[in-house]
Amino acid sequence: QVQLVESGGGWVQSGGSLRLSCAASASIASFYSGWSRQASGLQRELVATITSTGNITYADSVKGRFTISRDNAKNTVYLQMNGLKPEDTAVYYCFVGRIIRYWGQGTQVTVSS
């Protein structure tokens, strides 16, 4: 079992930046991983993913503003978020795995207008 701990969330004004980190308790080099978010009252949505070979996908709503990356040596996945908008406000969750998926506890991101 892999435990994930997110950090880096917080409050920021519109247009600002935050960098989320997701530290894993074990090697994630061979895992499909990514970030999802859930705004209040809405369903969880996929934000960005990265495969073990480095293929990356983004939700249309964050393309050009968010960047996902991973450091296998540190067992950590990152989400750099630039140009934040109020609609990006949500709890952000990192995950690893496809069939068996492990989730972090979530970190709150709040963007004020």
Side-chain angles (χ1 to χ4, degrees), residues 8-78:
W11 177 89
V12 65
Q13 287 189 322
S14 182
S17 298
L18 286 173
R19 187 194 195 203
L20 305 183
S21 299
C22 174
S25 61
S27 175
I28 58 170
S30 62
F31 281 90
Y32 170 81
S33 58
W35 293 87
S36 289
R37 67 186 180 186
Q38 187 166 18
S40 180
L42 299 179
Q43 290 187 332
R44 191 172 296 191
E45 63 170 342
L46 194 61
V47 174
T49 64
I50 183 167
T51 69
S52 60
T53 56
N55 291 320
I56 291 172
T57 63
Y58 295 101
D60 288 343
S61 58
V62 306
K63 279 181 182 177
R65 300 187 297 121
F66 290 12
T67 303
I68 188 172
S69 62
R70 61 196 291 168
D71 186 334
N72 291 332
K74 295 182 178 179
N75 297 329
T76 301
V77 182
Y78 302 98

